[in-house]
Amino acid sequence: MMGANPGFSTFDIAELDLAHLPPGFAEDPFPFYQRLLREAPVLRQPDGSYLISRHADLDRIYRDTQLFSSDKKQVFAPKFGAGSPLFTHHTTSLVFSDPPLHTRVRRIMTSALTPRAIARMEPGLVQAVDHLLNRMEDREEVDLIADFASIIPIQIIGNLLDVPMEERGPLRDWSLAILGALEPSLAAAELERGHRAVREFSAYLKGLIDRRRANPGDPETDVLTRLIAEEQGGQSEEGLTELELIQNCIFILNAGHETTTNLIGNGLALLHDHPDQKQALLDGPERIKSAVEEVLRFHSPNQLGNRQVTADVEIGGRTIAAGTNLHLMIGAANRDPEVFSEPDRFDITRIPNRHLAFAGGPHVCVGLSLARLEGQIALQHFLQRFPSFQILDGRKGGGRVRFRGYAHLPALIRQG
Ligand code: HEM
């Protein structure tokens, strides 16, 4: 815990710089968040951008796409190189676009990810989770990330686009490399890994799309077949170009991997570390929905969002100029005492729970129902099967600031 960091009590929060974070921040940012909320909810960074921490400010920003833009061309050109693979990928993704492009692509995505398509995934999800639990049954020690949390989303997102089972191997590494490139500070090798991942992933998807064009799936259940039907020259004049189709498929595959892995991994770790809450869930399995919401609030898989101001605006009493970049501190807003009583208490019965783990407004996560379903089934079935699991020494955090989760969670699942 941060209390163990001797420098923290004397740390000047006004000096907090996302590009040069103090030691201990990635492992435990929460004491920093508390101080941001109390002392500097709108904090200027040395590069001129701002950290925004209050729930009410984030809520307002997420709702207003005119004043707060998601388009990242200006930010990503110097970071990735204009026209580079990472630049092309990220600036074509739904998440980093504004209306009208956003409205057009979002409509197509949501029409493909229908509640019916998601409801139909439930039996496959239960089967995949139970299969993994059966495989663990014979073992005493497992890694809750490698053997469980990271496998479920790959299977589910793979099923969503109907990626053949034997071709799913590289998906996770591509996804980690592409999302890893969004970290606030980046080494040259990580950048190159990201570019390579976009090139390889695009080439793979182009082949998959060509095959699916030749052999369409059932549009009721196969999201890729529905997206292909929306391509320009397809049924609608306002469809997707091939580039948009490929980059947004990469985006769906990425958006659904790391985040959901972290929801499941963080959930298992939190339940383990709060035995009273684990027991409350075992005693009342119907609490699983509010439990998953609390995991999303308490250790949000996505801790940071971004927007750019399009016209001079006042936030928290400060005037912020047009063109300024904002870092939205989701993890801090989800601990804001103005909205959550005892915000640092993990309480699986917390209702209401207006967390911003999926953001809000027009860009609110498209996959939130699927992510919730995956989290609920994974945690519920795991706990039923291994109620007294014990996480061992040697857990390892992902070391990232934007995406919060574990790289390794070694655990004993059966008591000898
Ligand atoms: C626990 C898991 C997940 C979390 C915490 C999460 C979080 C988020 C957040 C915070 C955003 C908004 C980003 C912004 O505008 O600043 C977002 C957008 C998005 N997410 Fe998720 N996500 C999760 C799972 C998924 C899954 C499973 C899918 C796909 C099936 C998905 C697809 C998307 C898409 C397409 C967007 C872009 C929406 C838009 O810009 O209009 N997400 N997600």
Side-chain angles (χ1 to χ4, degrees):
M1 285 299 287
M2 197 62 238
N5 184 339
F8 183 66
S9 55
T10 53
F11 182 78
D12 181 359
I13 199 71
E15 297 288 317
L16 188 73
D17 178 0
L18 217 48
H20 303 98
L21 284 165
F25 187 95
E27 295 76 50
D28 188 7
F30 302 103
F32 292 96
Y33 291 162
Q34 283 164 4
R35 290 195 48 197
L36 282 174
L37 285 165
R38 270 199 315 266
E39 300 168 44
V42 179
L43 179 63
R44 192 169 194 279
Q45 297 287 280
D47 68 359
S49 62
Y50 278 82
L51 307 186
I52 312 289
S53 296
R54 279 197 185 126
H55 189 285
D57 290 334
L58 263 65
D59 192 45
R60 166 194 177 199
I61 291 167
Y62 277 133
R63 285 168 197 275
D64 188 342
T65 55
Q66 279 207 327
L67 202 47
F68 304 101
S69 162
S70 291
D71 186 299
K72 296 282 185 302
K73 289 188 197 72
Q74 272 183 35
V75 180
F76 287 164
K79 185 177 170 96
F80 298 135
S84 68
L86 279 169
F87 178 84
T88 304
H89 167 65
H90 285 306
T91 57
T92 315
S93 297
L94 180 63
V95 71
F96 296 133
S97 66
D98 286 335
L101 171 69
H102 176 263
T103 319
R104 173 169 61 82
V105 179
R106 172 131 186 150
R107 184 188 55 73
I108 292 169
M109 285 248 206
T110 43
S111 74
L113 283 164
T114 58
R116 240 181 41 195
I118 290 172
R120 284 188 187 211
M121 301 191 71
E122 188 165 341
L125 175 55
V126 170
Q127 207 180 14
V129 168
D130 285 344
H131 172 71
L132 291 175
L133 294 173
N134 291 343
R135 266 193 354 192
M136 292 198 275
E137 203 50 83
D138 297 337
R139 297 168 56 187
E140 221 165 272
E141 191 181 326
V142 298
D143 183 337
L144 297 177
I145 303 301
D147 296 315
F148 190 62
S150 68
I151 303 183
I152 299 163
I154 296 197
Q155 305 274 12
I156 296 314
I157 290 285
N159 291 351
L160 197 70
L161 295 188
D162 211 1
V163 176
M165 222 30 125
E166 63 283 3
E167 295 172 15
R168 295 182 185 181
L171 294 184
R172 179 149 198 256
D173 280 345
W174 284 334
S175 163
L176 285 174
I178 294 169
L179 292 183
L182 294 174
E183 282 294 289
S185 63
L186 204 60
E190 289 171 306
L191 195 62
E192 190 35 50
R193 228 181 110 219
H195 287 314
R196 199 170 54 239
V198 175
R199 277 195 293 267
E200 291 174 5
F201 211 156
S202 306
Y204 170 72
L205 276 173
K206 179 149 177 30
L208 184 70
I209 289 165
D210 287 345
R211 281 184 276 158
R212 199 63 54 85
R213 276 201 196 101
N215 260 320
D218 174 0
E220 282 297 313
T221 49
D222 178 20
V223 171
L224 185 55
T225 297
R226 286 181 85 119
L227 292 174
I228 290 172
E230 294 280 358
E231 255 187 297
Q232 259 167 24
Q235 293 181 340
S236 132
E237 261 180 37
E238 279 201 317
L240 296 171
T241 62
E242 186 175 65
L243 180 75
E244 286 167 355
L245 174 63
I246 291 176
Q247 299 305 333
N248 281 293
C249 283
I250 294 184
F251 182 69
I252 292 186
L253 287 160
N254 288 346
H257 269 175
E258 195 50 12
T259 46
T260 318
T261 297
N262 291 346
L263 165 61
I264 299 168
N266 293 350
L268 290 172
L270 282 168
L271 289 169
H272 172 269
D273 297 343
H274 298 82
D276 59 325
Q277 298 298 304
K278 188 181 83 172
Q279 195 54 49
L281 187 52
L282 283 166
D283 294 343
E286 72 286 353
R287 294 182 177 131
I288 188 64
K289 287 192 176 164
S290 57
V292 164
E293 297 312 303
E294 183 66 345
V295 172
L296 284 161
R297 180 189 77 85
F298 204 77
H299 280 177
S300 310
N302 195 340
Q303 295 274 310
L304 275 179
N306 297 89
R307 291 295 186 267
Q308 192 173 51
V309 176
T310 59
D312 293 1
V313 62
E314 197 187 297
I315 304 176
R318 300 189 69 145
T319 302
I320 299 183
T324 304
N325 293 314
L326 306 180
H327 306 278
L328 308 183
M329 311 298 280
I330 296 173
N334 284 342
R335 303 288 185 107
D336 188 338
E338 293 286 327
V339 177
F340 304 102
S341 63
E342 293 187 80
D344 293 316
R345 196 159 72 87
F346 178 65
D347 173 6
I348 65 156
T349 63
R350 190 182 288 275
I351 294 175
N353 192 337
R354 295 200 309 114
H355 66 74
L356 293 168
F358 293 120
H363 282 276
V364 71
C365 177
V366 169
L368 86 187
S369 312
L370 182 57
R372 284 181 163 134
L373 191 67
E374 287 182 64
Q376 289 161 12
I377 291 176
L379 293 181
Q380 187 80 299
H381 285 229
F382 183 91
L383 215 56
Q384 276 163 6
R385 189 79 70 98
F386 304 117
S388 40
F389 75 104
Q390 285 297 322
I391 295 179
L392 300 166
D393 287 349
R395 66 171 85 180
K396 190 165 172 286
R400 291 179 168 178
V401 174
R402 188 173 301 281
F403 298 102
R404 180 170 188 83
Y406 291 95
H408 299 292
L409 269 182
L412 279 184
I413 48 174
R414 287 188 299 122
Q415 307 304 305

